[in-house]
């Protein structure tokens, strides 16, 4: 806007200048002054055309040239007999006056332009000063220096791998920018409470050695009206000033809950501001937003679109091996005589956070009992207390375990059958680790949708019911279908709409339903194995299926 204003002034000034020059050129006196004798002899010889009296002069043309002579010096009477003369009573200085007028306007224009420019500069400066003051003003939006590294986070090796690239980018942004590589702006960590999402984000900041800005989604919406959006703006201002940096938004669903239903203007304004900030990032800003949620299916679609939180990393409850390594971390500096396999076995469904408080409670219990080392019985004594404690721990009942195992087995069998690469599948991982590829075909994407719909189809077939554990997969299926339509144009009508999306999903669902019906016995067989072992690898799936088919 500033530039166009500037341009307008330049245009105006040039137009005025040109106008003045033109007026000066056309209206200015162009005739030659001649003496009375010459003029009188021209009159006598009838060699005068277009004569006119203007002010004190007689103007005329003769032989193609313009002349003027003081009117009192010539024989006007003679002239009147030779040629008609028009008398014009104009001011001979009109041209000069006009030119001066235009030049005056020009000067005023220039002065105004200079003043405007100064005002704009002053305003910019005062904004800068205000911003600098704002940054210095004590605020609770302050970065922390994280000294957490991946060593402090146990298990979740796949998650670490997925985040390696981002750490490298934060460490050496230049390397990526030189190659024109666009980094993800937002990473969404999806997983139940207490599995270490915050810890992971801190570890990314710690590994990369960049400032870490923590905000909980709730803090944006539980304050006065209009403050949420302002806070988001301030957060990003500060992060950009400290870049490269990580902004972590915990429980983003508090802000990004899908719109519709009960409207909450405050939340909507905050969400819009967040979207604006993320869209406004230049690739070189060096700010990466990590957000955490345990309810991706509740998030507003706008947040999941390309350029926003387009990278999603799933963090599951730890499986048996992972629980063991988490227990190891928290028992490292405590005297004990524990069989970690045993403790790990009895803590199915415990998150990292729950395990950490379990170890702590057990240590306190042992100390109170006057013991010098922690034993298994100390764990048994406090287990229920931790389970009922403040932190809600996810524990499956036997029925729920059966449902979940069948659900996961259906996905594994489908993936195996459709040739989709995967590593392993577990009872607790509410998502399925598939191997990433660079170029993916329409068939592969459709197959992936089928895998995400497989669990739900199995529930329907085997239990005659649908369950809430399908939520994540259904959302993923929908997002893939949307990408196929909106991003990759894999439909008949190029970049169609919701109808195309629904068509893809409906076709995939009907395909998978008939597949599940055929594979039911194999799935049940695999689900028993998952129940027994908690995690099975792709190799295991292969063996089990080959025994049956
Ligand atoms: P979330 O953000 O997913 O709710 P947090 O990151 O807040 O979980 O985890 C809370 C605490 O639980 C952490 O500070 C840490 O002490 C412990 N914790 C959770 N997961 C792990 C893990 N994988 N390894 C080590 N500690 C963990």
């Amino acid at each position: 806007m500033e530039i166009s204003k500037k341009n307008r002034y330049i245009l105006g000034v040039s137009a005025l200048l040109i106008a003045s020059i033109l007026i000066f050129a056309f209206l200015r006196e162009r005739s030659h002054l001649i003496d009375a004798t010459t003029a009188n002899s021209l009159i006598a010889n009838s060699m005068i055309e277009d004569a006119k009296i203007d002010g004190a002069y007689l103007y005329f043309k003769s032989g193609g040239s313009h002349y003027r002579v003081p009117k009192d010096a010539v024989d006007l009477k003679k002239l009147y007999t030779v040629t008609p003369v028009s008398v014009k009573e104009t001011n001979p200085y009109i041209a000069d006056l006009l030119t001066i007028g235009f030049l005056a306007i020009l000067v005023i224009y220039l002065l105004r332009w200079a003043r405007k420019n100064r005002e704009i500069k002053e305003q910019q400066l005062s904004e800068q000063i205000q911003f600098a003051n704002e940054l210095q003003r004590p605020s609770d939006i302050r970065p922390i220096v994280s000294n957490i590294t991946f060593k402090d986070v146990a298990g979740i090796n796949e998650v670490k791998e997925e985040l390696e690239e981002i750490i490298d980018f934060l460490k050496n942004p230049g390397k990526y920018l030189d190659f024109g590589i666009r980094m993800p702006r937002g990473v969404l960590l999806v997983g139940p409470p207490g599995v270490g999402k915050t810890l992971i984000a801190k570890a990314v900041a710690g590994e990369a050695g960049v400032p870490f800005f923590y905000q909980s989604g709730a803090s944006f919406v539980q304050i006065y009206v209009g403050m949420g959006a302002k806070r988001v703006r301030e957060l990003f201002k500060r992060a950009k000033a400290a870049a490269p940096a990580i902004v972590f938004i915990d429980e983003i669903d508090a802000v990004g809950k899908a719109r519709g239903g009960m409207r909450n203007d405050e939340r909507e304004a905050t969400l819009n501001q967040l979207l604006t900030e993320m869209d406004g990032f230049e690739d070189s800003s060096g700010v990466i937003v990590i957000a955490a949620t345990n309810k991706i299916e509740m998030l507003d679609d706008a947040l999941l679109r390309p350029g926003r939180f387009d990278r999603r990393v799933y963090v599951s409850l730890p499986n048996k091996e992972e629980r063991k390594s988490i227990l190891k971390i928290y028992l490292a500096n405590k005297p004990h005589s524990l069989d970690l396999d045993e403790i790990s076995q009895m803590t199915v469904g415990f998150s990292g956070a729950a395990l950490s408080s379990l170890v702590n409670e057990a240590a306190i219990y042992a100390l109170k009992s006057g013991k010098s080392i922690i034993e298994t019985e100390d764990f048994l004594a406090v287990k229920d207390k931790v389970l009922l404690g403040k932190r809600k721990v996810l524990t499956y009942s036997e029925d729920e375990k059966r449902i979940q195992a069948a659900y996961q087995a259906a996905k594994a069998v489908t993936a195996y059958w459709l040739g989709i690469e995967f590593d392993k599948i577990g009872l607790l991982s509410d998502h399925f680790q598939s191997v990433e590829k660079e170029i993916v075909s329409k068939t592969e994407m459709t197959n992936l949708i089928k895998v995400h719909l497989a669990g739900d189809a199995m529930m329907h077939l085997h239990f005659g019911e649908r369950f809430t554990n399908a939520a994540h997969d259904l959302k993923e299926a929908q997002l893939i279908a949307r990408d196929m339509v909106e991003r990759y144009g894999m439909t008949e009508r190029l970049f169609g709409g919701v109808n195309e999306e629904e068509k893809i999903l409906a076709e995939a669902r009907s395909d998978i339903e008939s597949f599940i019906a055929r594979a039911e016995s194999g799935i049940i067989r695999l689900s028993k194995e998952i129940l027994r072992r908690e995690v099975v690898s792709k190799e295991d799936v292969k063996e089990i299926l080959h025994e049956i088919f």
Side-chain angles (χ1 to χ4, degrees):
M1 193 197 123
E2 231 167 75
I3 299 209
S4 82
K5 215 178 210 168
K6 206 165 173 175
N7 278 346
R8 244 179 34 219
Y9 270 93
I10 290 173
L11 266 175
V13 166
S14 324
L16 275 172
L17 208 62
I18 290 168
S20 316
I21 291 167
L22 287 180
I23 287 169
F24 196 74
F26 279 105
L27 294 185
R28 249 206 86 75
E29 193 47 77
R30 283 177 301 161
S31 52
H32 304 287
L33 184 65
I34 52 171
D35 59 79
T37 329
T38 321
N40 281 326
S41 82
L42 286 173
I43 291 169
N45 292 312
S46 301
M47 287 176 67
I48 284 187
E49 302 158 46
D50 286 351
K52 75 176 181 248
I53 291 171
D54 191 348
Y57 286 94
L58 167 74
Y59 294 86
F60 60 88
K61 240 166 86 183
S62 179
S65 301
H66 295 267
Y67 300 98
R68 77 174 186 278
V69 63
K71 72 169 191 231
D72 299 333
V74 293
D75 188 351
L76 286 177
K77 276 204 196 93
K78 179 87 188 249
L79 177 65
Y80 290 143
T81 61
V82 179
T83 175
V85 173
S86 71
V87 179
K88 222 170 119 200
E89 281 302 326
T90 54
N91 187 337
Y93 301 113
I94 186 91
D96 294 342
L97 277 178
L98 270 176
T99 309
I100 288 167
F102 270 101
L103 282 174
I105 294 173
L106 183 70
V107 168
I108 291 169
Y109 225 89
L110 280 172
L111 284 174
R112 270 185 49 190
W113 181 36
R115 207 182 60 202
K116 264 267 157 53
N117 251 352
R118 208 177 54 224
E119 273 170 13
I120 288 169
K121 283 226 179 75
E122 271 167 12
Q123 196 186 336
Q124 277 170 352
L125 190 68
S126 86
E127 264 169 26
Q128 271 169 12
I129 290 170
Q130 200 187 340
F131 178 41
N133 285 341
E134 222 171 82
L135 284 183
Q136 272 174 9
R137 188 167 49 86
S139 153
D140 56 340
I141 301 183
R142 243 177 283 120
I144 61 158
V145 177
S146 164
N147 47 17
I148 306 258
T149 65
F150 275 153
K151 276 207 297 296
D152 304 305
V153 192
I156 59 148
N157 287 323
E158 296 93 355
V159 174
K160 289 179 192 170
E161 268 167 38
E162 287 200 59
L163 296 172
E164 275 309 330
E165 190 193 14
I166 288 172
I167 293 170
D168 196 45
F169 169 75
L170 288 166
K171 269 190 190 159
N172 316 298
K175 184 169 108 187
Y176 289 82
L177 294 174
D178 286 348
F179 275 80
I181 295 174
R182 199 178 69 80
M183 270 291 112
R185 292 165 184 190
V187 179
L188 192 63
L189 296 177
V190 187
V195 291
K197 297 184 294 296
T198 311
L199 195 66
I200 292 163
K202 273 189 192 156
V204 171
E207 292 278 342
V210 302
F212 179 80
F213 289 83
Y214 174 94
Q215 282 296 306
S216 89
S219 77
F220 289 121
V221 283
Q222 284 171 1
I223 39 184
Y224 321 104
V225 176
M227 287 297 283
K230 190 163 171 266
R231 210 175 159 81
V232 170
R233 215 174 308 128
E234 187 184 344
L235 172 65
F236 278 83
K237 249 186 188 177
R238 284 175 184 270
K240 278 184 213 163
I246 285 184
V247 167
F248 179 69
I249 304 175
D250 202 4
E251 292 173 49
I252 193 167
D253 30 287
V255 177
K257 235 180 256 167
R259 290 172 256 206
M262 269 221 298
R263 270 175 60 92
N264 178 337
D265 289 343
E266 178 60 9
R267 195 180 61 222
E268 193 137 320
T270 309
L271 173 61
N272 284 336
Q273 187 61 38
L274 180 63
L275 296 175
T276 309
E277 293 289 350
M278 291 192 74
D279 291 345
F281 272 5
E282 301 106 47
D283 289 339
S284 55
S285 75
V287 177
I288 287 182
V289 191
I290 302 181
T293 180
N294 57 349
K295 316 175 188 117
I296 188 179
E297 64 278 2
M298 302 263 288
L299 284 190
D300 195 302
D301 276 350
L303 278 170
L304 303 173
R305 293 204 180 269
R308 292 165 183 172
F309 291 101
D310 46 7
R311 193 166 296 192
R312 291 181 286 280
V313 177
Y314 289 84
V315 193
S316 317
L317 283 170
N319 62 36
K320 199 173 147 200
E321 276 312 305
E322 289 168 338
R323 287 198 300 274
K324 219 168 114 181
S325 54
I326 294 173
L327 286 166
K328 250 186 216 153
I329 287 188
Y330 291 108
L331 284 166
N333 55 1
K334 296 183 178 66
H336 71 86
S337 63
L338 297 162
D339 174 1
L340 290 188
D341 271 319
E342 189 190 3
I343 309 283
S344 174
Q345 189 85 54
M346 68 188 215
T347 49
V348 180
F350 274 62
S351 65
L355 287 172
S356 130
S357 62
L358 181 68
V359 169
N360 207 42
E361 290 292 335
I364 292 171
Y365 190 83
L367 199 67
K368 271 192 193 155
S369 319
K371 288 197 280 196
S372 57
I373 56 166
I374 311 167
E375 290 167 323
T376 308
E377 56 178 50
D378 301 314
F379 274 86
L380 288 172
V382 298
K383 189 180 159 211
D384 288 341
K385 183 179 167 198
V386 173
L387 277 179
L388 299 172
K390 281 171 256 123
R391 279 241 173 208
K392 189 166 169 282
V393 174
L394 180 121
T395 41
Y396 287 124
S397 68
E398 288 308 312
D399 270 348
E400 286 169 327
K401 274 190 196 162
R402 249 178 356 105
I403 290 169
Q404 183 64 10
Y407 185 95
Q408 296 290 75
K411 284 170 72 180
V413 171
T414 307
Y416 182 75
W417 209 256
L418 295 175
I420 289 176
E421 279 304 315
F422 68 96
D423 208 16
K424 56 189 178 196
I425 191 144
L427 181 63
L428 296 169
S429 43
D430 41 18
H431 103 107
F432 168 81
Q433 204 96 46
S434 68
V435 176
E436 298 260 323
K437 277 176 64 175
E438 286 305 318
I439 300 182
V440 185
S441 68
K442 179 179 174 182
T443 312
E444 284 167 320
M445 290 186 88
T446 315
N447 285 345
L448 207 52
I449 291 181
K450 287 178 190 166
V451 172
H452 284 298
L453 297 179
D456 188 53
M458 178 66 185
M459 299 296 98
H460 192 54
L461 178 86
H462 191 70
F463 299 102
E465 255 297 12
R466 299 194 190 275
F467 299 100
T468 51
N469 60 341
H472 281 185
D473 279 317
L474 297 183
K475 184 75 196 180
E476 269 301 311
Q478 189 196 11
L479 290 174
I480 296 169
R482 177 168 309 156
D483 272 353
M484 288 172 71
V485 175
E486 287 184 7
R487 243 178 155 173
Y488 305 118
M490 288 174 171
T491 42
E492 240 159 74
R493 205 160 64 83
L494 205 54
F495 304 122
V498 186
N499 286 345
E500 257 90 345
E501 203 179 299
E502 280 167 2
K503 207 170 126 209
I504 291 176
L505 290 173
E507 275 170 15
R509 185 181 226 185
S510 106
D511 279 0
I512 195 64
E513 275 168 354
S514 47
F515 172 77
I516 295 286
R518 276 181 280 131
E520 190 181 357
S521 62
I523 294 171
I524 291 302
R525 172 87 176 69
L526 179 62
S527 79
K528 292 202 172 117
E529 206 54 33
I530 292 177
L531 269 182
R532 198 168 66 80
R533 287 198 274 167
E534 223 181 282
V535 188
V536 292
S537 68
K538 188 179 171 202
E539 280 306 304
D540 300 330
V541 175
K542 187 169 152 192
E543 254 170 50
I544 294 163
L545 292 183
H546 278 254
E547 275 171 29
I548 306 174
F549 299 111

